[in-house]
Amino acid sequence: MRVVLFIIMAFWLLPASSQTLKIMGSDEGFLPFYYGNDLKEGILVEVIKEFSLQTGIAADFLPMARKRQPWALERGLANAVFANPLWMPLPDRMHAVGPLLTWRDRVFAQPGRQPDSFDDLKGGICLRRWFVYSDRLERRIGSHLVRHDAYNAEQMLQMFLHKRCDYIVMNETEFRFLAQLGDVDPELYRTELVDAEWPVYLGILNNETALIEAAEAFFSTYTIDVEAMLPKLPRPDR
């Protein structure tokens, strides 16, 4: 009850100019966290809908190229972003609420090729163009691994399922979401190798005090149930 009252008070104290949580997201989307036209679908979209329902605070997702995110914050076009604090735009001016969930890039392998360590990775590997991977993985590319680049997650997964590569590195939630759309069992390909793992926070501009207080109160009792959300998410347009 205290949390609910606190959120209501935070809302009423909110200045009129800041009664909307304007969240930036990659203009390419990040399946299954946010995607679709104007980023209207996804796990984080559903979470923010619940936030708005409970607090009465309006919220919108704004597609924005990563390089332009600091500019958007400075211009007042946005006031929030989901990110790791290390990659937060304008980190000195952002308050991080969370962590809210864990981003985990996992190695998936063709059946019969499951490795015990990164030293076992040999053959072809499908990766996403322009993405950064761990040093231990990068060191094996060119010597033990042949890299096959894809422009997006869907293309990368299709390359893997058509056996153009032996391994793929992908966010595990993204892999499971796309696999369920294609009636593919993700457990057939899962390995214990994790290439990267980091916490995800909701960053809000420091001067948006009431929004920060409302978000802190909401997420103090709210847990993101990825398992329950995944089967209910709509198929992406592309």
Side-chain angles (χ1 to χ4, degrees), residues 165-184:
C165 46
D166 302 295
Y167 310 102
I168 189 173
V169 177
M170 220 171 156
N171 175 271
E172 62 180 4
T173 307
E174 183 178 42
F175 186 95
R176 289 171 53 210
F177 174 62
L178 292 174
Q180 80 178 13
L181 294 179
D183 293 324
V184 173

Side-chain angles (χ1 to χ4, degrees), residues 99-121:
L100 308 181
L101 54 81
T102 299
W103 178 284
R104 189 175 293 111
D105 285 334
R106 187 176 294 279
V107 177
F108 295 89
Q110 299 290 356
R113 298 296 301 268
Q114 266 71 12
D116 294 321
S117 72
F118 279 83
D119 292 338
D120 296 330
L121 297 178

Side-chain angles (χ1 to χ4, degrees), residues 30-90:
F30 262 122
L31 293 171
F33 300 101
Y34 51 79
Y35 58 94
N37 294 330
D38 298 322
L39 308 182
K40 296 297 186 184
E41 310 290 351
I43 291 172
L44 295 178
V45 176
E46 293 304 314
V47 170
I48 293 302
K49 284 180 181 178
E50 185 63 26
F51 169 80
S52 293
L53 184 64
Q54 291 194 27
T55 65
I57 297 173
D60 289 318
F61 275 79
L62 174 69
M64 184 66 61
R66 182 173 294 179
K67 290 182 179 180
R68 291 174 61 84
Q69 289 183 359
W71 170 84
L73 291 169
E74 290 172 341
R75 288 294 187 93
L77 300 177
N79 53 26
V81 64
F82 283 102
N84 180 294
L86 294 176
W87 300 334
M88 196 84 71
L90 304 183

Side-chain angles (χ1 to χ4, degrees), residues 61-229:
F61 275 79
L62 174 69
M64 184 66 61
R66 182 173 294 179
K67 290 182 179 180
R68 291 174 61 84
Q69 289 183 359
W71 170 84
L73 291 169
E74 290 172 341
R75 288 294 187 93
L77 300 177
N79 53 26
V81 64
F82 283 102
N84 180 294
L86 294 176
W87 300 334
M88 196 84 71
L90 304 183
D92 295 338
R93 294 173 54 185
M94 302 294 281
H95 175 89
V97 179
L100 308 181
L101 54 81
T102 299
W103 178 284
R104 189 175 293 111
D105 285 334
R106 187 176 294 279
V107 177
F108 295 89
Q110 299 290 356
R113 298 296 301 268
Q114 266 71 12
D116 294 321
S117 72
F118 279 83
D119 292 338
D120 296 330
L121 297 178
K122 299 175 183 178
I125 187 165
C126 288
L127 299 173
R128 194 161 172 178
R129 187 182 294 269
W130 302 303
F131 269 41
V132 177
Y133 298 92
S134 69
D135 290 342
R136 58 185 173 179
L137 180 63
E138 294 283 359
R139 282 194 295 266
R140 299 194 67 76
I141 296 173
S143 57
H144 298 85
L145 289 169
V146 177
R147 177 171 181 157
H148 302 278
D149 281 335
Y151 287 97
N152 56 52
E154 297 97 317
Q155 183 188 30
M156 187 167 64
L157 183 59
Q158 285 302 313
M159 291 166 62
F160 176 71
L161 294 177
H162 285 91
K163 303 186 185 301
R164 288 187 57 189
C165 46
D166 302 295
Y167 310 102
I168 189 173
V169 177
M170 220 171 156
N171 175 271
E172 62 180 4
T173 307
E174 183 178 42
F175 186 95
R176 289 171 53 210
F177 174 62
L178 292 174
Q180 80 178 13
L181 294 179
D183 293 324
V184 173
D185 182 2
E187 292 303 313
L188 291 175
Y189 306 96
R190 187 181 185 277
T191 77
E192 295 303 315
L193 301 187
V194 174
D195 188 56
E197 181 177 274
W198 60 83
V200 176
Y201 292 75
L202 174 60
I204 303 175
L205 281 172
N206 285 331
N207 62 351
E208 300 284 6
T209 305
L211 283 177
I212 290 170
E213 292 175 349
E216 288 282 9
F218 173 78
F219 285 109
S220 69
T221 60
Y222 182 88
T223 300
I224 300 177
D225 191 346
V226 173
E227 298 297 326
M229 291 182 179

